[in-house]
Structures are given as C-alpha cells and as structure tokens.
Amino acid sequence: MGELLKIDHLSYTYHTLEGETPALIDVSFHVNEGEFVAIVGPSGCGKSTLLSLISGLLSPTCGSIYINGSDLKSSGKNIGYMLQKDQLLDWRNTLKNVTLGLEIQHKLSDNSYVQINELLNTYGLITFKNSFPSGLSGGMRQRAALIRTLLLEPDILLLDEPFSALDYQTRLEVADDIWSIIRKEKKTAILITHDISEAISMADRVIVLSSRPGTVKQVIDINLSIENRTPFATRSAPEFREYFNQIWKELTDHDKAEQTG
Amino acid sequence: MIRQNKQVEISSIGISAAQQAYINKLKLQRRWVRFYQLIILIAFISTWEITTRLGILNVFVFSSPTRVCKAIYEMSLTGQLFYHVGITLLETLVSFTLVNFLGILLAIVLWWNNSVSKILEPYLIVLNSLPKTALAPIFIVWLGNNMKTIIVAAVSVAVFGTIINLYSDFKNVEEDKIKLIYTLGGKKKDVLFKVIIPSNIPSIISQMKVNIGLSLVGVIIGEFLAAKAGLGYLIIYGSQVFKLDWVVMSIVILCILATGLYKLLTYFEKRFSK
C-alpha cells in the first residue's frame, strides 16, 4: 500500500467584498492506496473546501496536492466526488442518471452497458433501471449516485457527508452499503463528516480538523479487535467508545480553548 | 398461478361500496359544475338575443347572437372569414415562435455571460415595463404598413418578459446540481444542456402559455394600427363603418382562437411530461 495522495502545506482563503476568510491553513496529510480516511471537524472548518481542492474544483492559495508523486493537475488521475445529496436528476431514469458522467466525458459506448448492468445488478438497482428518482428510496438513490461516480473509474473517491440528508435508520444501512461497495471495488476513499461515530465506524484512519481556519489537529489510526468489520458491527466493537471519547475530546478541547482565549 | 392472477384482477376491478360512493359523488359534482357553466352561457346568449329583439338594447349597436351567426355564415360562404382568421393565426404563430426562440436564446446568452447580463439588466427592465403599444406607431414609420410591423409589435410585447423570467429561472437552478456536472468532469456547455435546460422545461412551457396569449394581444394591436386583413383589422373596420356584427363576430372568434391555442399547448405539455 503505497502513498497515493499527499496534501502538502495546503492553505485556502475565500475573498468577498467584506474581506478575506482563511478557510484552511497549512493542512498536510497523506492517504495510502486502498485506505479509507475520514476527516472530522466542527461545521465551517473548511472540510468541503478541502474536497473541492482535492477534486480540482478550486485551486489552492498556497501548498500543493500530489497524486502518486505528481501534481494533481498533471497527474491525469480521476477523482470521484460524491456530494452531500445524491443529486440525481429528476428527469432522467436510473440508467440515464448513472451514465451521466460517462455521457459528459464521451466515454459511453455499447461496451459500457455490460459494466453498468453488472453494477446495477450487484447493488440491487437492476429492477429499478427505468424508474425515476422519485420512485427510489433514499438508500437506492445514494447507491445510484455512487455507481454514477464509480463508472468513471476514479482513483480516489471523495465523499462529502453523503449520508447527512438521510434519516438515522437509512443512514446506518446506507453507510454499510456504500462502505462495502467501496471496499469491494478496492477504492481509496476520503469521507468528510461531522458525525464522530460515522467516522470511526467507516474509516481506517480519522483526521481531526480544528475549527475555522481548519488545520490538522490529530490523526488517529483505528485498530479494531473485531472480525468481519462493517460500519454497523464496528459500532459495537470494544474500542469504539475509547476512540469516540478521544476524538470528542480533540474537538471540544478546541472549543474550550477558544472560549477562554 | 392462474388462479392467483385472477384474484389480482378481481381485486383491482372490484371496488368497495364506499369507494364507489366517493367516485359517484365526485362525478355528480363535476356534472353540476358543467351544468352551471352551460346555464351561464345560455342565459347570457338568450338575454342578449331577447333584449335586442324586444328593442331594450339597440341591435344596431349591440348586435345579437343571430346576427353574429348570420355574419359568420355569410363571411364563410365568401371565404373572407377564413382569410382573416388565417392571417391573424399566421401572424400569431410566427410571433409566438420568434418570441420563444429569441427569448430562450437570449436568456441562455445572459446566463452564459455574467457581465453581459449585468450590463443589460437596466435596459431589459426599462424595455419590459415600457407599454409596447407606445412603440407600435414607430414601427409603422420604420417598417411600413404591413405584416412585418405587426409581427415586430407582437414580438416586442412578449419577448422582454420571456427573457427576464427565463433568465431568473435559469439562475435559480440548485447550485449543487451545477457542481455535480463539474465534479463529473463537465464544462459549462454540459451544465447548460444536462441541467439548466432540462430542469427548466416546465418553466419554459409555462412561459409559452403566457406567450401565446401575449402574441395574440400584440398581433391584434398591430392589426388595429397597420393592417389590411386579420381579425384586428376587421374589428377596427367594422367599428368605423358601424358593422357591429363584424366586430362582435371577430371577438367571438378570438375567444375561440385563444382558447384553442392554449388548449393545444396544454396538450403538448401533458404529452411532454408523460
């Protein structure tokens, strides 16, 4: 497992008429190939900005992003980005929605449909191929969104609080679903969340960001003694509570420091 | 297996008594609505006919249903009626097409280029609020006493509102849907064709429904001022030579025309959304 992504002293500042707001200051970390990394932090700590930078939608103010040792822009690597909501287009059926990315990149050919049908079949959407998003459950919609991203064969998957719009029960189910899909496809993934339990349950490593302007506070490796790990099973692992308390302390410590300072 | 299928069939056909009662109630209600709608129409026409016959209303000024029918009959015999209706219909459809084409195109231009939209904003607002009837005489001077003037007048009535409405609808598309296209590696062109236009089909169609009415208004205004044919011409001419039968007849036909065109659009809307 080599180092796939390297974030090197990254900073980003937003400019508005009212002034400039630093969103990220001097963020450095790396992600290994096949690793699942979760980034937690208080709201407004620049988590989404970080993903936008990694996906190339924004350009950093300072610092660099490397993939496999070469610069993000010149690496030619594919970055898949899953947004907060599934953002399936209402006027397209499931099949048309999952092929949207391929269509945009002009990669849709007759051969693609073999893979598309296979993915739809594996992830329980084949019978809903011709249904419109309004007829799908929250979980199905999220899976369709993931397939849409996976079809572009991303080297790194970015997940921007992909479960935050779902109700609690669906959320647990979808987290299991998405997690196992990502594991099965052997993808490297970065998950952003403000939910500590979600981060521990899914990730191999949790990166804690401070509140705005965001910077890396702590990196915590998640080692569990349970077998057959799934996000749901992790929640009942003996180490779960310890990790939870540790991260919770990291997050709240900062708030206290802020209040007294 | 077969028996199972049968059961499904029966259960989908067999409706409970309460449901049947509910459906019957709704049907009855609908019939009453239709009945009163008809009553109003009949009452209006018969009062009109009777009062003019009895001399309460001057038939020369108010015309009467029978005289209107007679005018329609006579003018269809000579073919004049179809000629005038045809001219108005043609002008309306040409204007309607131009309004939609220009409206959508310019709304896209404004959406595409932020600077252009900022620069043009005050001009669009002025042109939109300006009563376009004020421009009609200028169009006659510029373009002459012909169909060109009428179509330009009709287009000017509807086009600015269309641009402004569609542009603001385009702007209101959810920011994350646009982000989605970029995360999938798309360009601005993909945002336009994959998100902006398809998500705005309903608002384009409802704008078209408004435009069909406005085009008709514009065409009639144009025909009032600069025409040798068409229903607007017939109305003006009829009032000048005191042939009120023609005026009322033209108005009746306009009612039918407007409703027909609107219904046609509703039909397309339903087919499209299916």
Side-chain angles (χ1 to χ4, degrees):
Chain A
M1 286 215 302
E3 184 179 282
L4 182 63
L5 174 78
K6 186 177 159 73
I7 309 283
D8 193 23
H9 299 288
L10 195 71
S11 298
Y12 190 81
T13 307
Y14 283 103
H15 293 273
T16 60
L17 272 181
E18 285 74 39
E20 46 186 352
T21 329
L24 294 170
I25 285 185
D26 202 24
V27 174
S28 297
F29 64 89
H30 69 275
V31 178
N32 293 326
E33 198 161 352
E35 198 178 25
F36 198 123
V37 170
I39 297 174
V40 291
S43 42
C45 74
K47 290 176 299 213
S48 294
T49 310
L50 185 59
L51 288 198
S52 293
L53 286 166
I54 298 172
S55 67
L57 292 179
L58 295 175
S59 298
T61 312
C62 312
S64 330
I65 299 166
Y66 301 102
I67 294 178
N68 273 342
S70 55
D71 192 67
L72 175 71
K73 293 263 154 71
S74 58
S75 71
K77 290 284 180 184
N78 251 327
I79 312 276
Y81 195 146
M82 258 182 96
L83 299 160
Q84 261 178 40
K85 286 189 217 145
D86 51 70
Q87 298 299 352
L88 296 181
L89 304 178
D90 296 327
W91 53 90
R92 286 168 168 254
N93 61 23
T94 309
L95 183 67
K96 284 282 214 172
N97 258 304
V98 300
T99 55
L100 181 66
L102 292 172
E103 204 179 300
I104 286 172
Q105 299 193 3
H106 306 290
K107 285 180 187 161
L108 193 62
S109 65
D110 290 340
N111 294 332
S112 344
Y113 285 100
V114 179
Q115 193 200 358
I116 293 164
N117 281 325
E118 209 178 280
L119 277 171
L120 286 175
N121 193 27
T122 317
Y123 304 121
L125 284 168
I126 197 79
T127 46
F128 296 91
K129 205 163 120 172
N130 298 316
S131 312
F132 285 86
S134 53
L136 301 182
S137 71
M140 292 183 196
R141 296 177 63 121
Q142 211 55 254
R143 278 190 309 235
L146 181 62
I147 293 174
R148 180 178 61 197
T149 314
L150 287 177
L151 280 172
L152 294 174
E153 294 173 347
D155 301 289
I156 301 173
L157 259 178
L158 307 176
L159 309 160
D160 187 0
E161 302 196 35
F163 317 120
S164 59
L166 304 171
D167 62 79
Y168 191 67
Q169 194 192 335
T170 319
R171 194 173 172 156
L172 294 182
E173 285 166 13
V174 176
D176 265 23
D177 273 358
I178 301 287
W179 185 85
S180 32
I181 294 172
I182 290 171
R183 280 286 133 118
K184 206 169 154 193
E185 307 289 334
K186 298 194 173 54
K187 293 289 174 195
T188 311
I190 302 177
L191 167 77
I192 277 205
T193 178
H194 56 258
D195 183 333
I196 303 172
S197 320
E198 195 170 273
I200 304 167
S201 68
M202 294 181 83
D204 303 316
R205 210 142 49 89
V206 175
I207 295 172
V208 184
L209 286 189
S210 67
S211 62
R212 177 167 283 204
T215 186
V216 178
K217 270 202 99 186
Q218 179 111 41
V219 179
I220 297 160
D221 285 309
I222 307 289
N223 293 308
L224 299 165
S225 54
I226 57 165
E227 276 170 35
N228 297 329
R229 185 180 170 187
T230 67
F232 193 77
T234 305
R235 286 172 190 261
S236 45
E239 298 88 351
F240 186 82
R241 188 124 298 277
E242 276 168 47
Y243 283 127
F244 187 95
N245 290 334
Q246 194 185 349
I247 296 170
W248 173 255
K249 228 179 109 210
E250 283 297 334
L251 286 170
T252 48
D253 259 5
H254 190 91
D255 287 349
K256 270 181 205 142
E258 215 167 50
Q259 273 163 19
T260 51
Chain B
M1 206 47 210
I2 292 160
R3 200 195 290 160
Q4 228 175 7
N5 279 343
K6 237 179 197 163
Q7 259 176 346
V8 171
E9 257 176 46
I10 290 164
S11 68
S12 64
I13 294 168
I15 300 165
S16 77
Q19 176 70 10
Q20 192 60 54
Y22 173 76
I23 291 171
N24 288 344
K25 201 178 122 199
L26 276 190
K27 274 189 185 157
L28 192 68
Q29 230 167 26
R30 210 178 305 156
R31 241 173 266 157
W32 273 109
V33 169
R34 275 266 177 272
F35 174 72
Y36 280 113
Q37 284 170 340
L38 265 177
I39 287 286
I40 291 173
L41 186 69
I42 292 165
F44 175 74
I45 292 174
S46 49
T47 316
W48 186 11
E49 183 67 39
I50 291 162
T51 48
T52 45
R53 288 229 171 167
L54 293 177
I56 302 169
L57 289 178
N58 188 343
V59 76
F60 187 62
V61 178
F62 287 89
S63 187
S64 80
T66 41
R67 291 180 69 144
V68 170
C69 291
K70 223 177 108 202
I72 292 177
Y73 177 70
E74 281 168 0
M75 287 191 96
S76 11
L77 277 189
T78 59
Q80 275 185 76
L81 184 70
F82 305 114
Y83 173 65
H84 289 293
V85 171
I87 291 284
T88 300
L89 203 58
L90 174 73
E91 287 164 346
T92 308
L93 291 178
V94 171
S95 319
F96 173 73
T97 314
L98 278 173
V99 162
N100 292 320
F101 178 74
L102 288 173
I104 294 170
L105 192 75
L106 288 167
I108 290 173
V109 169
L110 294 186
W111 173 83
W112 191 280
N113 195 323
N114 217 9
S115 323
V116 171
S117 76
K118 273 189 188 140
I119 293 166
L120 291 185
E121 196 192 358
Y123 296 103
L124 275 174
I125 291 172
V126 170
L127 284 172
N128 186 42
S129 14
L130 180 80
K132 259 62 74 177
T133 34
L135 296 176
I138 304 178
F139 292 147
I140 299 177
V141 176
W142 287 350
L143 302 165
N145 198 9
N146 53 37
M147 200 187 268
K148 239 190 294 179
T149 301
I150 296 165
I151 288 169
V152 170
V155 169
S156 75
V157 168
V159 79
F160 302 111
T162 308
I163 298 170
I164 291 175
N165 288 342
L166 288 184
Y167 171 62
S168 79
D169 285 338
F170 286 2
K171 273 285 181 196
N172 276 335
V173 169
E174 206 183 334
E175 207 51 52
D176 271 359
K177 290 241 168 8
I178 296 169
K179 193 175 175 185
L180 168 77
I181 300 297
Y182 288 124
T183 62
L184 294 173
K187 300 272 175 309
K188 197 158 190 172
K189 161 188 95 124
D190 299 303
V191 176
L192 179 66
F193 290 114
K194 306 286 183 213
V195 170
I196 302 289
I197 293 189
S199 70
N200 275 298
I201 293 289
S203 56
I204 289 173
I205 290 175
S206 70
Q207 188 61 45
M208 282 183 173
K209 279 177 162 175
V210 175
N211 286 344
I212 196 80
L214 285 180
S215 301
L216 207 51
V217 170
V219 164
I220 296 300
I221 291 171
E223 285 180 350
F224 278 0
L225 297 167
K228 297 171 206 78
L231 290 171
Y233 163 79
L234 216 54
I235 290 172
I236 287 290
Y237 181 72
S239 69
Q240 280 167 353
V241 300
F242 262 77
K243 280 210 118 185
L244 269 298
D245 299 344
W246 285 10
V247 177
V248 178
M249 176 194 76
S250 305
I251 294 170
V252 169
I253 292 171
L254 272 177
C255 284
I256 297 167
L257 216 58
T259 318
L261 289 171
Y262 186 85
K263 288 274 177 203
L264 199 67
L265 268 179
T266 322
Y267 169 75
F268 279 122
E269 184 182 17
K270 272 196 191 134
R271 277 202 46 176
F272 205 91
S273 60
K274 270 281 155 194

